[in-house]
Amino acid sequence: MTRGKIKAWYLVHKWTSLVCTLFLLILCVTGLPLIFWEEIDQATRDMREPAPVAEGARPASLDAIMARAIERSGGDVPLFLGWDDHEPVVYVNTGARPDVPVEEMKVFLFDAYSGAELGNQSLDSGVMMFIYRLHTDLFLGLGMTLFLGVMTLLFAAALISGIVLYGPFMRKLDFGTVRRDGSRRLKWLDMHNLIGAVTLAWALVVGLTGAVNTLARPLQFAWQAQAVAEFSARYAGQPRPGQFASLDTSVAAARARAPDMAPAFVSYPGTGYSGDHHFGVFMHGDTPLTERLVKPVLVDAATGEVTAEPAVPWYITTLLLSQPLHFGDYGGLPLKLLWALLDLATIVVLGSGLYLWLRRSRGSTEARVTEIMEAGLRARAAA
Amino acid sequence: MSKARRGLWPAYRMPALLAAISLIGLVSALLEDGLFDVVSWVLLGAIVVAMRPALRR
């Protein structure tokens, strides 16, 4: 690689890193506890365990569960009803209006077979929701979410330019070299290169899937405007149904359309998942992948009859695939622990990068380029 | 310059191998539970272990 090219890549690395580092540090630090959200939730939630499922037991009526949740909510409207992936538990989300934000929803938990109420949890209270808001938008809304997405793209550019500079730097060194007999800065330069190179692919995947996740809301809107609008055209001008068809009937109708799949959750009209006139019954498979690739069946919320099974557009598939790869929640607790370690390693890469920039010796960009070409040994370069 | 070009691949051999291991480890647990989870743990565990030189005193 020519000196000119190294200089260009160095400038890309320096500026993309400097702009994104502070935000990425916030994302890595707040993301760390979020990896274990599910575990923390289970440990802290106020829920009785569901009864063991007897052989041949029949699931409780969803209509009865929903009626109970609405009664307990004190005048809310139904938003979602869903099934836990691991336990025989049904959850119901309610809210003051169909379009309330997540943090204003109430959650009621029921035994999927006996229908007994197991407890409830409030989504807005709690440290984890606070950390989640910090992680996704710093309490500043969609604009900040999208801005963080841009910062994450800069992070990806910093990683790519970093690995481009890694080659010329490591040309004369063995992999894993950390020189502890030189200056402190030289040691951290080696650490930065080593940890950065080792975690590169993981950091790129988690970073880029995080950037995709920042587009979740706009993509859901696009999906509503496109797919759902197409099927709800004949409902144009009609008000949202005030009386809903039976949930049990509606879910059974959706099940009949996808006999190999199980329902993951049902969205009510107006929640932004299924238009103004339909239940969205989201069916899924049972592997980690097919569990997340949901297939929607739109059921007329007034009659309980299936209207359509809209094809899932590519951008929603991309979003659904991006979520597990960002959260690390698809391979049990060991995968989460590895996720946490790799997250900590990324914090070290970010922190050491900042340190290297703050403790740079005097001199121009040319001196930095020489430093890269001579594997950090400026003395020899001076000759 | 030609010397530099010849010299770059050895430096990238390990990072390229580790990137391949990372990607297989990331995808494996997504496909199936059970053994596929274990493959992910082992491969991503190897990535963490590859950082060991950073911890030596």
Side-chain angles (χ1 to χ4, degrees):
Chain A
M1 205 184 296
T2 62
R3 191 181 172 89
K5 276 187 188 162
I6 292 176
K7 182 175 172 181
W9 282 108
Y10 165 73
L11 289 171
V12 171
H13 190 60
K14 172 182 162 182
W15 286 108
T16 52
S17 305
L18 279 177
V19 173
C20 78
T21 289
L22 178 66
F23 294 100
L24 258 294
L25 276 172
I26 295 172
L27 290 173
C28 284
V29 170
T30 54
L32 192 58
L34 290 177
I35 299 171
F36 303 101
W37 195 345
E38 197 187 347
E39 283 73 14
I40 294 171
D41 228 26
Q42 275 172 5
T44 57
R45 76 184 169 183
D46 179 22
M47 186 187 107
R48 286 181 291 119
E49 291 301 311
V53 182
E55 206 170 321
R58 293 177 57 80
S61 157
L62 301 174
D63 290 312
I65 287 178
M66 182 55 83
R68 186 76 205 277
I70 292 303
E71 185 193 319
R72 293 277 288 106
S73 71
D76 277 1
V77 295
L79 304 177
F80 301 97
L81 176 145
W83 290 260
D84 192 282
D85 286 337
H86 312 293
E87 300 172 289
V89 172
V90 169
Y91 66 86
V92 174
N93 296 108
T94 69
R97 301 179 318 276
D99 59 347
V100 295
V102 174
E103 58 269 25
E104 289 175 26
M105 293 178 187
K106 287 180 201 141
V107 188
F108 300 93
L109 303 159
F110 297 89
D111 187 308
Y113 288 85
S114 74
E117 194 177 342
L118 299 175
N120 59 68
Q121 64 195 118
S122 166
L123 287 173
D124 66 332
S125 66
V127 184
M128 294 312 282
M129 186 46 95
F130 178 80
I131 296 172
Y132 172 77
R133 288 296 305 275
L134 279 180
H135 188 77
T136 52
D137 70 356
L138 298 168
F139 292 93
L140 292 171
L142 181 61
M144 191 59 183
T145 301
L146 297 174
F147 175 81
L148 289 174
V150 173
M151 289 302 109
T152 310
L153 292 178
L154 285 182
F155 175 60
L159 287 168
I160 305 258
S161 54
I163 200 69
V164 170
L165 296 173
Y166 177 89
F169 182 91
M170 293 299 289
R171 204 157 38 102
K172 297 168 182 169
L173 299 173
D174 288 334
F175 175 81
T177 299
V178 178
R179 287 161 292 181
R180 290 158 208 279
D181 43 4
S183 67
R184 240 173 101 82
R185 188 174 182 281
L186 184 65
K187 183 184 98 175
W188 279 105
L189 184 54
D190 285 345
M191 300 266 267
H192 182 78
N193 282 317
L194 168 65
I195 301 173
V198 172
T199 57
L200 177 81
W202 179 86
L204 265 180
V205 167
V206 175
L208 291 175
T209 53
V212 172
N213 278 317
T214 63
L215 299 173
R217 289 302 286 165
L219 292 181
Q220 281 163 5
F221 287 136
W223 147 251
Q224 290 295 302
Q226 191 189 23
V228 179
E230 187 186 329
F231 294 107
S232 54
R234 67 187 169 97
Y235 297 84
Q238 296 181 27
R240 219 175 262 163
Q243 288 287 318
F244 296 117
S246 157
L247 253 188
D248 288 297
T249 310
S250 302
V251 170
R255 270 184 191 270
R257 294 297 181 101
D260 300 336
M261 302 172 100
F265 68 94
V266 181
S267 62
Y268 270 71
T271 51
Y273 278 70
S274 49
D276 277 342
H277 303 280
H278 289 90
F279 290 128
V281 183
F282 291 80
M283 308 296 291
H284 68 172
D286 60 1
T287 70
L289 193 63
T290 58
E291 213 171 72
R292 287 163 177 85
L293 289 176
V294 289
K295 167 192 160 64
V297 179
L298 294 179
V299 178
D300 187 311
T303 67
E305 283 164 24
V306 173
T307 299
E309 296 162 63
V312 177
W314 65 270
Y315 53 83
I316 294 291
T317 305
T318 307
L319 176 65
L320 293 173
L321 283 176
S322 289
Q323 289 174 341
L325 286 169
H326 186 71
F327 306 150
D329 62 349
Y330 57 98
L333 191 57
L335 191 72
K336 292 188 179 187
L337 291 169
L338 290 163
W339 226 257
L341 290 171
L342 290 163
D343 181 75
L344 287 169
T346 304
I347 292 176
V348 174
V349 175
L350 292 165
S352 60
L354 199 57
Y355 168 83
L356 291 170
W357 180 73
L358 291 172
R359 297 296 301 268
R360 66 197 182 280
S361 47
R362 271 197 308 257
S364 59
T365 300
E366 293 302 330
R368 297 278 84 71
V369 176
T370 302
E371 188 180 26
I372 292 162
M373 295 181 78
E374 297 297 329
L377 302 174
R378 290 191 71 250
R380 267 173 56 194
Chain B
M1 188 188 148
S2 66
K3 188 178 160 197
R5 189 176 294 160
R6 182 155 33 96
L8 282 192
W9 170 239
Y12 281 120
R13 217 162 24 201
M14 266 306 270
L17 178 68
L18 290 166
I21 289 173
S22 301
L23 293 178
I24 299 169
L26 282 166
V27 172
S28 178
L30 205 49
L31 300 178
E32 271 294 344
D33 288 323
L35 191 61
F36 285 74
D37 282 340
V38 179
V39 170
S40 279
W41 303 339
V42 170
L43 294 182
L44 289 177
I47 297 302
V48 171
V49 170
M51 290 186 273
R52 215 174 37 144
L55 292 178
R56 246 191 330 253
R57 298 241 136 232

